[in-house]
Amino acid sequence: MTPKRRANFERLLKPRSIAFIGGRDATIAVREARRRGFAGQMWAVNPRRTDLKGVPCVPCIADLPEAPDAVYLAIPAGGIVAALGELAEMGVGGVVCFSAGFKETGDAAAEQALIEATGDMALIGPNCYGLINYIDNAALWSFEHGGWSPGYGAAIVTQSGMFSSDITMSARSLPLAYMVSAGNQAVLGLEDFLDAFADDPAVRAIGLHIEGLQDIPAFERAALKAIERGVAVVALKTGSSSIGAALTVSHTGSLSGSDALYEALFARTGVISVTSPAQFLETLKYLCVVGAPKGPSVAGFTCSGGGATMLADHAEKIGLTFSAVRATEHAALVDLLPDIATVSNPLDYTTPIWGQAELTYPVFVKAMDAVGAEAAVLVQDYPAEGLDASKIYYQNDASAFAQAACDRGIPAAICATLPENLDKVTRRYLISIGVAPMQGIHETLNAMQSASIWAARRNRILATRPEPLIAGTPPGSLGMLTEDAGKAWLAERGFTVPSGRTTTAQKAEVAAKKIGYPVALKMMSTRLAHKSEAGAVALGIADGAALKQALDQMNTAVTAYDKQAVSDSYLIEAMSPTPVAEMIVTLRNDPQFGAALVLGSGGVLTELVGDATTVLLPSTQDDIASALKSLKIFHLLEGFRGRPRADINKVVTVLNDLCDAFLQAREKVSEIEINPMFVYADHVVAVDALIHENCT
């Protein structure tokens, strides 16, 4: 965003005056502005109506008494460009363009004309619901809306208008600061909103519903700015399925991109990634109300053994820690509990002291201290409306719990086992005493875990800010190197490859004897990217007779597969011994995300196990080490069940050097795939390699 557009965005976000242009939809927007409590000047433009919901109409834009800060524009698509040009000339701050009929319908030219006509104005849309400001009570919105704010909250930006509306109607008491339905993002994209909201003191967390990003480097800069400001970003990325990706294009004109690359981007920038709308809202609520814990150690409380078990079961699955009560604190906690209670974490403090704050407060405090808690959670399912005679007892324990957590300076959440068992009055009350009212055990623990991971990532990023991503380049035509040429490229850059020779069929036996049996035989051809499928690989050849037979069989098989792939060039290599583990390593240039490293289980396990992770480049050795540790195959590298152990530092160093070499050569080299890469106790070997170069 340019400085002038940024200033205009502030006018759009916090307007003193709004002009509504259109008919029925503009009338709805007038109603919603009033519902929000907008107290500024309102004008209406419509040549065939005298007023819009009581706001007097002028017949055309030129008749407006002055340039409004904000405009709600809902006229047929054919008139949008002319209207925007007139508004820009007048000096309007910003526009919400509700109208559809642009890029989402395939009319890229119309959208480009819209962009040009907008000038320095801030424009949301087209094809969007608009904007709600819950802090200053302003709205340019196309539909009935709900939502509330205690003076702070989440800024949410969605690429789905209906989803944004659904969020405002949710029965979860998420504190809201701003709601933006971004639509096509013709002028202002998610990156711009993220950058702007990171500076707003009323915003405690930012929620993004992402179908696709338009400017990855800009998103990285904005996300890193947010984490430096201490504002957590929560992303719900949709469009990962093939059907979802197709729907995304038709929905807002966005492209969904590769799910793995988005997850790598989120990990790099500290963005919390969630997979469901409920988790999206609960995570934002936790962060807005209580903030992130310093670590994953949690003190859990219930007045039910079943609730304690549910907490413990899910926490173990996601890596959240319910630390054991320290032995030195055990006796003191026993003295505070009824005889039927068992000292544990999570702790079922049992019903004899339930609802008696003078008895439960000391238990909460002592247990938090006894486990070194960095966060606390209490499970409470409140009675249904009309059955609330016992509600005071729940509230007594809630207040005691809140006070204990406050005294210990740790974030506190009260969690309903079932989402609907926490009524609106209770939710608002808990927020008022500094407790996050959470709905659903899994959602609660997931939010706490995500928040603690965010805090750790923030510390890491503040200590070592990632180097800026290198912008992607448009795809071009590619040429494949034969395996021997690809391995020569790797060897020149210090990467170990098997001992081998390239030869003809006539000289194959001589080459094999010099290498030493047993050997591997591979036909070299730029048409043989997948040699195993073509029968162009023979392994474990023990002698000359077996070699001759392998040559004959290979020639026959490749001829049947692709006659043009047949060649008289063969790579003969020494057979590599059994490794500690087989990995796949891929480096490639993505047109949107730039350079990326993919690590995973290799060989025959690549597709079967689906064990892979992605790191965007440039990266650090710590990034690569963290990626390795996230893989299932890491257990093999560590020496699974008495097997040999790999030198992890050596593996990381080799991979980091390979990344550096790729980045240095990325204008020429488009992709490197090593599969498998054999990992041994003290070195690694590229057993198979495939390199693609950009063709000029």
Side-chain angles (χ1 to χ4, degrees), residues 418-575:
L418 300 176
E420 59 270 22
N421 289 353
L422 205 58
D423 59 274
K424 178 179 177 180
V425 172
T426 298
R427 295 195 303 267
R428 298 283 182 89
Y429 167 71
L430 293 177
I431 290 173
S432 74
I433 62 173
V435 175
M438 304 294 288
Q439 293 163 268
I441 284 181
H442 287 199
E443 289 85 352
T444 302
L445 296 181
N446 290 344
M448 296 173 73
Q449 172 72 342
S450 294
S452 69
I453 291 173
W454 175 85
R457 284 180 175 169
R458 180 170 187 260
N459 291 336
R460 186 194 73 215
I461 289 170
L462 292 180
T464 308
R465 184 183 174 96
E467 293 184 42
L469 288 171
I470 301 169
T473 55
S477 59
L478 300 178
M480 190 189 88
L481 298 183
T482 56
E483 184 179 336
D484 54 341
K487 285 181 173 175
W489 189 95
L490 291 171
E492 288 171 6
R493 289 154 180 82
F495 205 101
T496 302
V497 299
S499 174
R501 292 171 178 262
T502 305
T503 184
T504 62
Q506 185 178 1
K507 298 178 180 179
E509 189 169 358
V510 174
K513 286 180 179 179
K514 288 182 178 180
I515 293 167
Y517 290 104
V519 297
L521 174 70
K522 303 177 183 180
M523 183 181 287
M524 297 294 99
S525 169
T526 57
R527 297 179 67 89
L528 293 174
H530 303 288
K531 290 184 285 294
S532 296
E533 295 178 5
V537 178
L539 304 176
I541 299 171
D543 52 34
L547 178 61
K548 184 180 184 307
Q549 183 180 7
L551 286 165
D552 292 341
Q553 291 176 343
M554 189 172 295
N555 188 70
T556 301
V558 174
T559 299
Y561 176 79
D562 179 0
K563 288 182 180 180
Q564 295 182 36
V566 176
S567 79
D568 190 31
S569 178
Y570 297 90
L571 175 63
I572 299 178
E573 292 180 321
M575 288 293 296

Side-chain angles (χ1 to χ4, degrees), residues 269-318:
T269 55
V271 172
I272 298 169
S273 178
V274 298
T275 57
S276 74
Q279 193 64 63
F280 183 66
L281 298 185
E282 292 301 303
T283 304
L284 286 168
K285 180 167 52 177
Y286 184 86
L287 289 162
C288 283
V289 177
V290 298
K294 294 179 180 178
S297 178
V298 180
F301 302 95
T302 72
C303 200
S304 160
T309 302
M310 290 179 197
L311 286 176
D313 286 351
H314 190 62
E316 185 176 278
K317 292 176 183 176
I318 64 174

Side-chain angles (χ1 to χ4, degrees), residues 1-23:
M1 232 189 299
T2 63
K4 191 166 185 179
R5 181 167 285 161
R6 178 63 178 269
N8 280 333
F9 177 68
E10 287 298 313
R11 292 175 64 192
L12 175 63
L13 186 67
K14 303 172 182 180
R16 294 165 299 173
S17 57
I18 305 174
F20 299 87
I21 305 175

Side-chain angles (χ1 to χ4, degrees), residues 470-476 589-595 666-667 669-670 694:
I470 301 169
T473 55
N589 285 312
D590 183 85
Q592 202 179 4
F593 289 82
R666 67 189 297 266
E667 290 187 6
V669 176
S670 177
N694 295 312

